[in-house]
Amino acid sequence: MPDADPLLEIADDLYALPLADFTPARDALVKEHRADKDLAASIKGLRKASVAAWVVNLLVRRDPDQVDQVLAVGEALRDAQDNLDATQLREFTKQRRQLTASVTTAARRMAREEGVRTTESVAEQVEATLTAAMLEPDAARAVRSGLLVSALSATGLGDLDLGGAVAVPEALGFSAKARPAPGPDPTQRPQLHVVPDPDADVKARSAADERLAEARSALKDHEKEHRAARRSVEKLQARTLQVQSEIDELRGRIATLEDTLEEVDEQLAEAEAAQAEVEEAVDEARSEVEAAREARERLKG
């Protein structure tokens, strides 16, 4: 049996970490493996997952059996698609959406248990990724790797581009290690099957209530952040006015000093001209003194 790829083993551990721990853990591993320059460079190139990708990776590790069931249902639907009439296809499409919505709700719950609150936008990306995994075999392999760095989206027409969606190209075909969280026995969870759900309306209302509660909680948090941001803006606006006032005062002072400088320059020019005249008079007086002295000397002779 060939040795496991060390980069895949390292990536499997890294992408199992809480989202906030990824970057410091990755950088520490780069230092740890600096003796192997190629491996260290590969580790450094591992990108942090988006929130949606992290939630899917968490689901894969926390509940791989549920993920495998989703992927198996997707494979069965793909195999049967060519033999279905329009009515059956619509029914299976509806059931597929119910399944992905249910699993997405479970994934969001797991994220909350890890201290990460997911927005509706993130939930939509998670559901789109699970849908892509049911529609496209390569997307299924990417999801099962647990090494997603971005969400997936597919139409089922074979146009899926996985470039940059997984941590490393070798991730396709790799399966993340299961890392179940402590809790109730997962074997007691009912198996998932693509069948009509008689309690769909009740579950939908429950999910809607949960979404509403989460939205209200998120709104409360955002409003608190908005108030803090507004106070910060008001303080900075006041500081801006103060600084602008100081600048205006300094500009006025500079203008006054420039006027004073101009006056002093004029006075200096006049003083220099007067000095030149006095120096000329001094020179003439000295010449006169010298001439008088010489005349007196001649009279002595």
Side-chain angles (χ1 to χ4, degrees), residues 15 18-24 26 43-51 53-54 57 148-150 164 167:
Y15 288 98
L19 202 55
D21 295 346
F22 176 86
T23 300
R26 181 197 60 194
I43 295 171
K44 185 65 176 177
L46 295 175
R47 294 187 291 121
K48 184 177 180 179
S50 69
V51 176
W54 177 83
N57 291 339
L148 288 177
V149 295
S150 62

Side-chain angles (χ1 to χ4, degrees), residues 133-203:
M134 297 184 77
L135 294 174
E136 300 282 356
D138 283 345
R141 287 191 285 272
V143 166
R144 192 63 187 83
S145 75
L147 302 179
L148 288 177
V149 295
S150 62
L152 303 178
S153 178
T155 62
L157 302 177
D159 56 355
L160 178 65
D161 181 10
L162 289 176
V166 290
V168 291
E170 295 78 6
L172 297 184
F174 178 80
S175 293
K177 295 177 184 176
R179 290 175 169 85
D185 185 354
T187 62
Q188 301 303 312
R189 182 176 38 258
Q191 298 294 305
L192 293 172
H193 301 284
V194 182
V195 294
D197 185 355
D199 298 325
D201 291 342
V202 174
K203 291 180 179 178

